[in-house]
């Protein structure tokens, strides 16, 4: 099979191929414009459809696109969740060293500087 590099990402191709490793031998190759995929069933009589692989590649491409489009919001949600778990006492003692932390320093919006 041959897949255009402009339409499919390398990550989606690897993920799609990995989903077939339990029942098929998968060989991947590429040139400047295309990815090449060869699939061979591990067991005789076990059908590994090229159309199934095409659908899996499309599904993995869609998942990868959603991942890229939602990456920043997931990072922001994680940062906010972690920030709410910070202990707000004014002083922390670490060993023999006492350090003071300000909530304003800890809870600042990391993404505000990027706008």
């Amino acid at each position: 099979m041959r897949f255009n590099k402009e339409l499919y990402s390398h990550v989606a191709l690897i993920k799609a191929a990995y989903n077939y490793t339990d029942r098929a031998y998968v060989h991947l190759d590429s040139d400047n414009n295309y990815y090449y995929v060869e699939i061979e069933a591990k067991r005789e009589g076990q059908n590994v459809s090229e159309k199934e692989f095409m659908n899996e590649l499309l599904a993995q491409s869609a998942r990868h696109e959603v991942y890229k489009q939602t990456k920043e919001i997931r990072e922001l949600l994680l940062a906010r969740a972690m920030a709410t778990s910070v202990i707000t006492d004014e002083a922390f003692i670490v060993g023999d060293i006492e350090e003071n932390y300000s909530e304003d320093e800890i809870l600042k919006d990391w993404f505000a500087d990027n706008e």
Side-chain angles (χ1 to χ4, degrees):
M1 290 179 283
R2 181 175 78 170
F3 299 98
N4 191 324
K5 285 184 172 183
E6 290 182 22
L7 296 176
Y8 300 101
S9 74
H10 179 255
V11 171
L13 180 74
I14 296 295
K15 286 182 176 186
Y18 179 76
N19 283 335
Y20 281 80
T21 58
D22 61 332
R23 59 187 173 136
Y25 299 107
V26 182
H27 176 74
L28 304 176
D29 204 352
S30 69
D31 61 21
N32 290 337
N33 300 316
Y34 296 99
Y35 296 116
Y36 298 97
V37 179
E38 292 178 30
I39 300 175
E40 180 185 339
K42 286 184 175 181
R43 292 179 198 91
E44 191 173 318
Q46 186 176 32
N47 186 19
V48 180
S49 167
E50 289 183 3
K51 290 182 181 183
E52 279 183 86
F53 186 86
M54 288 182 217
N55 279 348
E56 183 63 26
L57 180 57
L58 182 59
Q60 292 298 334
S61 294
R63 286 186 183 111
H64 185 64
E65 189 61 33
V66 168
Y67 167 81
K68 289 190 312 186
Q69 290 178 9
T70 60
K71 183 177 186 247
E72 290 180 14
I73 190 71
R74 285 182 285 106
E75 288 174 347
L76 180 61
L77 288 171
L78 180 60
R80 294 291 182 176
M82 296 302 290
T84 61
S85 67
V86 173
I87 300 171
T88 60
D89 290 352
E90 289 298 319
F92 293 94
I93 299 177
V94 180
D96 294 335
I97 303 171
E98 184 176 313
E99 296 185 31
N100 292 316
Y101 294 95
S102 161
E103 282 184 29
D104 293 332
E105 288 177 20
I106 295 170
L107 300 177
K108 78 175 192 170
D109 186 355
W110 299 338
F111 300 101
D113 296 336
N114 294 335
E115 294 178 3

